[in-house]
Amino acid sequence: MLFHLQARLAISLPLLLIAACHQPREDAPPRAEVEQPLPRSGKLDRSKAGRPAPAVEFLDPEGEKVTLGSFAGKPLLLNLWATWCAPCVAEMPTLDALAARDPALQVLAVSQDFPGQETKVAGFFEERKLTRLEPYQDPELGLMTGLKADVLPTSILYDSAGKEVWRMTGAADWTGAEAAKLLSEAKG
């Protein structure tokens, strides 16, 4: 029974991710222009507030296994993204700027690219000159499953005790005043 569930998940999850990743509108500017800071298009969800971070393993930039518990002690903004997701790509510079601007907040971008894409993710960070974010990876998609996230990008704010404050599905400009107000909720 478990094997059948895993097989279904392995087949259906990539299709769900592709369908769930918000596609740019037909009248949207070319990709290079889309990569400017964006207005928030995501949906804020507080229904899971207070839940602890799952103890799911993923890979740090050196390929070592870590969990979200490794980041306890400071507020954490977890961002689930993929190199093939246009809204995710557009959002990354604002996450990098946030990580540079707010040392009291940990910003963790975890790629949901599939196994074998490790060099693609590292190359993405180099090509985009993302200097504050690091290329964490979750090739098994354990975080998406453990968090019951089905849209990319998804960002989840945790307080310093590792409890969820809120989650946002869809892209956001993490450099704006609205984002700062939302992020301050984990510091209170």
Side-chain angles (χ1 to χ4, degrees), residues 21-44:
C21 182
H22 300 294
Q23 297 298 317
R25 298 184 330 253
E26 286 183 25
D27 63 337
R31 187 175 190 158
E33 292 178 37
V34 171
E35 292 178 12
Q36 299 302 315
L38 338 159
R40 186 178 98 183
S41 65
K43 178 182 173 191
L44 192 65

mmCIF file of all heavy atoms in Angstrom, residues 21-44:
data_model
loop_
_atom_site.group_PDB
_atom_site.id
_atom_site.type_symbol
_atom_site.label_atom_id
_atom_site.label_comp_id
_atom_site.label_asym_id
_atom_site.label_seq_id
_atom_site.Cartn_x
_atom_site.Cartn_y
_atom_site.Cartn_z
ATOM 1 N N CYS A 21 2.635 26.080 -10.242
ATOM 2 C CA CYS A 21 3.544 27.213 -10.395
ATOM 3 C C CYS A 21 2.837 28.259 -11.247
ATOM 4 O O CYS A 21 2.443 27.989 -12.369
ATOM 5 C CB CYS A 21 4.845 26.773 -11.064
ATOM 6 S SG CYS A 21 6.029 28.096 -11.232
ATOM 7 N N HIS A 22 2.647 29.419 -10.674
ATOM 8 C CA HIS A 22 1.919 30.464 -11.389
ATOM 9 C C HIS A 22 2.644 30.817 -12.675
ATOM 10 O O HIS A 22 3.824 31.132 -12.668
ATOM 11 C CB HIS A 22 1.787 31.718 -10.524
ATOM 12 C CG HIS A 22 1.065 31.463 -9.252
ATOM 13 N ND1 HIS A 22 -0.248 31.116 -9.206
ATOM 14 C CD2 HIS A 22 1.491 31.470 -7.970
ATOM 15 C CE1 HIS A 22 -0.625 30.952 -7.960
ATOM 16 N NE2 HIS A 22 0.423 31.150 -7.190
ATOM 17 N N GLN A 23 1.948 30.769 -13.768
ATOM 18 C CA GLN A 23 2.527 31.106 -15.063
ATOM 19 C C GLN A 23 2.344 32.596 -15.322
ATOM 20 O O GLN A 23 1.334 33.173 -14.946
ATOM 21 C CB GLN A 23 1.849 30.304 -16.184
ATOM 22 C CG GLN A 23 2.054 28.821 -16.039
ATOM 23 C CD GLN A 23 3.510 28.429 -16.115
ATOM 24 O OE1 GLN A 23 4.249 28.926 -16.945
ATOM 25 N NE2 GLN A 23 3.937 27.562 -15.222
ATOM 26 N N PRO A 24 3.307 33.240 -15.986
ATOM 27 C CA PRO A 24 3.124 34.651 -16.281
ATOM 28 C C PRO A 24 1.983 34.825 -17.279
ATOM 29 O O PRO A 24 1.715 33.951 -18.091
ATOM 30 C CB PRO A 24 4.460 35.077 -16.890
ATOM 31 C CG PRO A 24 5.168 33.831 -17.238
ATOM 32 C CD PRO A 24 4.576 32.721 -16.429
ATOM 33 N N ARG A 25 1.301 35.950 -17.177
ATOM 34 C CA ARG A 25 0.229 36.255 -18.125
ATOM 35 C C ARG A 25 0.814 36.414 -19.516
ATOM 36 O O ARG A 25 1.983 36.730 -19.688
ATOM 37 C CB ARG A 25 -0.452 37.561 -17.718
ATOM 38 C CG ARG A 25 -1.118 37.521 -16.378
ATOM 39 C CD ARG A 25 -1.845 38.832 -16.103
ATOM 40 N NE ARG A 25 -1.242 39.980 -16.735
ATOM 41 C CZ ARG A 25 -0.554 40.921 -16.099
ATOM 42 N NH1 ARG A 25 -0.368 40.835 -14.818
ATOM 43 N NH2 ARG A 25 -0.050 41.950 -16.744
ATOM 44 N N GLU A 26 -0.043 36.227 -20.519
ATOM 45 C CA GLU A 26 0.409 36.368 -21.900
ATOM 46 C C GLU A 26 0.908 37.776 -22.182
ATOM 47 O O GLU A 26 1.806 37.980 -22.976
ATOM 48 C CB GLU A 26 -0.727 36.005 -22.864
ATOM 49 C CG GLU A 26 -0.988 34.517 -22.921
ATOM 50 C CD GLU A 26 -2.071 34.173 -23.924
ATOM 51 O OE1 GLU A 26 -2.277 34.942 -24.871
ATOM 52 O OE2 GLU A 26 -2.699 33.123 -23.743
ATOM 53 N N ASP A 27 0.311 38.779 -21.517
ATOM 54 C CA ASP A 27 0.710 40.158 -21.750
ATOM 55 C C ASP A 27 1.828 40.614 -20.807
ATOM 56 O O ASP A 27 2.167 41.782 -20.748
ATOM 57 C CB ASP A 27 -0.495 41.096 -21.624
ATOM 58 C CG ASP A 27 -1.089 41.091 -20.220
ATOM 59 O OD1 ASP A 27 -0.890 40.097 -19.480
ATOM 60 O OD2 ASP A 27 -1.764 42.076 -19.872
ATOM 61 N N ALA A 28 2.410 39.646 -20.046
ATOM 62 C CA ALA A 28 3.496 39.982 -19.124
ATOM 63 C C ALA A 28 4.738 40.377 -19.906
ATOM 64 O O ALA A 28 4.966 39.921 -21.029
ATOM 65 C CB ALA A 28 3.812 38.785 -18.224
ATOM 66 N N PRO A 29 5.558 41.247 -19.310
ATOM 67 C CA PRO A 29 6.791 41.640 -19.996
ATOM 68 C C PRO A 29 7.723 40.456 -20.167
ATOM 69 O O PRO A 29 7.566 39.443 -19.492
ATOM 70 C CB PRO A 29 7.415 42.680 -19.057
ATOM 71 C CG PRO A 29 6.611 42.683 -17.826
ATOM 72 C CD PRO A 29 5.379 41.877 -18.040
ATOM 73 N N PRO A 30 8.701 40.563 -21.054
ATOM 74 C CA PRO A 30 9.672 39.480 -21.231
ATOM 75 C C PRO A 30 10.338 39.139 -19.903
ATOM 76 O O PRO A 30 10.414 39.957 -19.005
ATOM 77 C CB PRO A 30 10.683 40.055 -22.230
ATOM 78 C CG PRO A 30 10.004 41.204 -22.866
ATOM 79 C CD PRO A 30 8.962 41.695 -21.912
ATOM 80 N N ARG A 31 10.868 37.924 -19.804
ATOM 81 C CA ARG A 31 11.419 37.396 -18.570
ATOM 82 C C ARG A 31 12.438 38.328 -17.901
ATOM 83 O O ARG A 31 12.417 38.496 -16.691
ATOM 84 C CB ARG A 31 12.052 36.042 -18.831
ATOM 85 C CG ARG A 31 12.495 35.353 -17.587
ATOM 86 C CD ARG A 31 12.988 33.982 -17.902
ATOM 87 N NE ARG A 31 13.172 33.305 -16.643
ATOM 88 C CZ ARG A 31 13.185 32.020 -16.510
ATOM 89 N NH1 ARG A 31 13.044 31.246 -17.536
ATOM 90 N NH2 ARG A 31 13.362 31.474 -15.340
ATOM 91 N N ALA A 32 13.320 38.933 -18.641
ATOM 92 C CA ALA A 32 14.342 39.808 -18.056
ATOM 93 C C ALA A 32 13.680 40.944 -17.284
ATOM 94 O O ALA A 32 14.148 41.346 -16.228
ATOM 95 C CB ALA A 32 15.262 40.368 -19.127
ATOM 96 N N GLU A 33 12.554 41.457 -17.795
ATOM 97 C CA GLU A 33 11.869 42.537 -17.103
ATOM 98 C C GLU A 33 11.088 42.025 -15.898
ATOM 99 O O GLU A 33 10.928 42.734 -14.928
ATOM 100 C CB GLU A 33 10.923 43.249 -18.074
ATOM 101 C CG GLU A 33 11.661 44.005 -19.163
ATOM 102 C CD GLU A 33 10.693 44.640 -20.128
ATOM 103 O OE1 GLU A 33 9.631 45.107 -19.691
ATOM 104 O OE2 GLU A 33 11.011 44.666 -21.324
ATOM 105 N N VAL A 34 10.602 40.795 -15.960
ATOM 106 C CA VAL A 34 9.837 40.226 -14.860
ATOM 107 C C VAL A 34 10.719 40.066 -13.628
ATOM 108 O O VAL A 34 10.242 40.092 -12.508
ATOM 109 C CB VAL A 34 9.225 38.859 -15.271
ATOM 110 C CG1 VAL A 34 8.608 38.155 -14.082
ATOM 111 C CG2 VAL A 34 8.198 39.052 -16.354
ATOM 112 N N GLU A 35 12.009 39.941 -13.796
ATOM 113 C CA GLU A 35 12.896 39.686 -12.676
ATOM 114 C C GLU A 35 13.146 40.917 -11.806
ATOM 115 O O GLU A 35 13.931 40.873 -10.886
ATOM 116 C CB GLU A 35 14.202 39.083 -13.176
ATOM 117 C CG GLU A 35 13.973 37.700 -13.710
ATOM 118 C CD GLU A 35 15.214 37.063 -14.254
ATOM 119 O OE1 GLU A 35 16.311 37.581 -14.042
ATOM 120 O OE2 GLU A 35 15.083 36.036 -14.909
ATOM 121 N N GLN A 36 12.459 42.005 -12.058
ATOM 122 C CA GLN A 36 12.495 43.165 -11.183
ATOM 123 C C GLN A 36 11.616 42.851 -9.972
ATOM 124 O O GLN A 36 10.784 41.963 -10.019
ATOM 125 C CB GLN A 36 11.974 44.397 -11.928
ATOM 126 C CG GLN A 36 12.788 44.753 -13.153
ATOM 127 C CD GLN A 36 14.244 45.006 -12.813
ATOM 128 O OE1 GLN A 36 14.540 45.695 -11.851
ATOM 129 N NE2 GLN A 36 15.151 44.441 -13.576
ATOM 130 N N PRO A 37 11.777 43.579 -8.853
ATOM 131 C CA PRO A 37 10.928 43.320 -7.696
ATOM 132 C C PRO A 37 9.445 43.332 -8.077
ATOM 133 O O PRO A 37 9.000 44.144 -8.869
ATOM 134 C CB PRO A 37 11.271 44.466 -6.743
ATOM 135 C CG PRO A 37 12.676 44.806 -7.101
ATOM 136 C CD PRO A 37 12.765 44.603 -8.594
ATOM 137 N N LEU A 38 8.708 42.406 -7.501
ATOM 138 C CA LEU A 38 7.307 42.234 -7.873
ATOM 139 C C LEU A 38 6.366 42.702 -6.790
ATOM 140 O O LEU A 38 6.705 42.632 -5.624
ATOM 141 C CB LEU A 38 6.964 40.753 -8.043
ATOM 142 C CG LEU A 38 7.954 39.725 -8.323
ATOM 143 C CD1 LEU A 38 7.393 38.383 -7.930
ATOM 144 C CD2 LEU A 38 8.168 39.736 -9.796
ATOM 145 N N PRO A 39 5.168 43.070 -7.179
ATOM 146 C CA PRO A 39 4.142 43.278 -6.157
ATOM 147 C C PRO A 39 3.732 41.909 -5.625
ATOM 148 O O PRO A 39 3.905 40.908 -6.305
ATOM 149 C CB PRO A 39 2.992 43.929 -6.936
ATOM 150 C CG PRO A 39 3.200 43.500 -8.342
ATOM 151 C CD PRO A 39 4.682 43.325 -8.521
ATOM 152 N N ARG A 40 3.229 41.876 -4.439
ATOM 153 C CA ARG A 40 2.804 40.601 -3.875
ATOM 154 C C ARG A 40 1.651 40.047 -4.699
ATOM 155 O O ARG A 40 0.653 40.704 -4.907
ATOM 156 C CB ARG A 40 2.370 40.780 -2.427
ATOM 157 C CG ARG A 40 2.053 39.441 -1.772
ATOM 158 C CD ARG A 40 1.673 39.609 -0.359
ATOM 159 N NE ARG A 40 0.205 39.586 -0.340
ATOM 160 C CZ ARG A 40 -0.510 39.770 0.741
ATOM 161 N NH1 ARG A 40 0.059 40.040 1.866
ATOM 162 N NH2 ARG A 40 -1.807 39.723 0.690
ATOM 163 N N SER A 41 1.814 38.848 -5.196
ATOM 164 C CA SER A 41 0.728 38.161 -5.894
ATOM 165 C C SER A 41 0.303 36.941 -5.118
ATOM 166 O O SER A 41 -0.585 36.224 -5.522
ATOM 167 C CB SER A 41 1.180 37.758 -7.297
ATOM 168 O OG SER A 41 2.212 36.797 -7.227
ATOM 169 N N GLY A 42 0.971 36.716 -4.001
ATOM 170 C CA GLY A 42 0.705 35.531 -3.209
ATOM 171 C C GLY A 42 -0.485 35.694 -2.285
ATOM 172 O O GLY A 42 -1.001 36.781 -2.074
ATOM 173 N N LYS A 43 -0.881 34.566 -1.733
ATOM 174 C CA LYS A 43 -2.009 34.524 -0.812
ATOM 175 C C LYS A 43 -1.486 34.189 0.574
ATOM 176 O O LYS A 43 -0.795 33.194 0.759
ATOM 177 C CB LYS A 43 -3.006 33.464 -1.279
ATOM 178 C CG LYS A 43 -4.190 33.311 -0.371
ATOM 179 C CD LYS A 43 -5.116 32.216 -0.862
ATOM 180 C CE LYS A 43 -6.199 31.975 0.173
ATOM 181 N NZ LYS A 43 -6.947 30.761 -0.137
ATOM 182 N N LEU A 44 -1.819 35.021 1.548
ATOM 183 C CA LEU A 44 -1.384 34.823 2.920
ATOM 184 C C LEU A 44 -2.328 33.839 3.612
ATOM 185 O O LEU A 44 -3.545 33.956 3.505
ATOM 186 C CB LEU A 44 -1.377 36.166 3.650
ATOM 187 C CG LEU A 44 -0.690 36.193 4.998
ATOM 188 C CD1 LEU A 44 0.803 35.917 4.849
ATOM 189 C CD2 LEU A 44 -0.905 37.544 5.653
#
